[in-house]
Amino acid sequence: MAHAQHHPGSARDRLPTREELRIWRNYLETAEALQARLAARFLSETALSAGDYQVLLALSEAERNTLRSSELAELVGWERSRLSHHLGRMEKRELISRNTCTDEARGIDVRATDQGLETFRAASVPHLKAVHELFLEAFTPEELVDVDRVSRALRRNLGLDQGGRK
């Protein structure tokens, strides 16, 4: 479905109605509360932070469990400086290792260690249970289809599925 072209004076120029703003606020507050509860539960039930899990998930899906730090930053949606500080903490805990790229002296390869992958796998079960309990159980199968439809529309509007995932 293509979006209509923008014309001055069109519906795109108007401000949100009170009802639209209520829906927007409810969406934001609910998404933030869900993320906060998932993160708190994750931290209390595993040896990883939500950020650790996000990094290890990306590395576990990569060939040889290794990614360039620039690719990893893009995959997890973080600024390079934030990722670098986070990777330093993970490296001290022996969850990842960092090495200079063999084909580019300035690049850094980030690899999940065996300990990191083991910790990631152990954390996956409580994380997936929390996702099921806090998110999936809130919806009927029909409502979940609606959530998927709404999410796809938002991702399309934001350009998130073009050339990669965020």
Side-chain angles (χ1 to χ4, degrees):
M1 176 170 94
H3 291 288
Q5 274 192 318
H6 176 66
H7 299 286
S10 71
R12 291 182 80 182
D13 289 333
R14 73 171 177 78
L15 296 175
T17 65
R18 182 173 293 216
E19 178 65 6
E20 289 168 336
L21 285 173
R22 182 194 63 77
I23 293 167
W24 167 243
R25 279 192 310 274
N26 282 346
Y27 170 79
L28 279 185
E29 291 168 5
T30 303
E32 288 171 2
L34 176 61
Q35 284 189 309
R37 288 186 190 184
L38 281 170
R41 186 160 158 184
F42 191 71
L43 197 54
S44 74
E45 294 178 355
T46 72
L48 298 174
S49 70
D52 294 339
Y53 188 85
Q54 199 173 358
V55 167
L56 288 170
L57 173 62
L59 293 172
S60 74
E61 294 174 339
E63 187 176 328
R64 296 187 331 269
N65 305 118
T66 303
L67 288 168
R68 288 238 168 113
S69 60
S70 57
E71 292 174 281
L72 182 56
E74 189 174 320
L75 279 172
V76 298
W78 293 357
E79 295 294 324
R80 287 187 189 187
S81 61
R82 174 184 178 193
L83 179 65
S84 179
H85 290 293
H86 194 91
L87 292 177
R89 292 187 295 274
M90 291 180 74
E91 194 169 32
K92 285 179 185 172
R93 293 167 42 220
E94 299 181 356
L95 299 172
I96 59 104
S97 65
R98 294 186 283 186
N99 299 295
T100 303
C101 296
T102 54
D103 59 336
E104 183 185 329
R106 290 179 29 163
I108 299 293
D109 281 334
V110 181
R111 184 183 66 79
T113 63
D114 290 342
Q115 179 179 330
L117 291 171
E118 184 179 312
T119 304
F120 169 76
R121 283 189 287 276
S124 292
V125 171
H127 174 62
L128 295 174
K129 283 183 180 179
V131 167
H132 190 271
E133 292 169 16
L134 297 174
F135 181 76
L136 297 173
E137 286 182 6
F139 304 108
T140 65
E142 296 79 16
E143 290 169 333
L144 197 56
V145 170
D146 291 340
V147 170
D148 184 47
R149 183 178 48 77
V150 168
S151 296
R152 282 186 283 128
L154 282 169
R155 293 183 68 80
R156 184 176 53 249
N157 191 53
L158 298 171
L160 295 176
D161 283 335
Q162 298 169 1
R165 297 184 59 85
K166 178 173 182 230

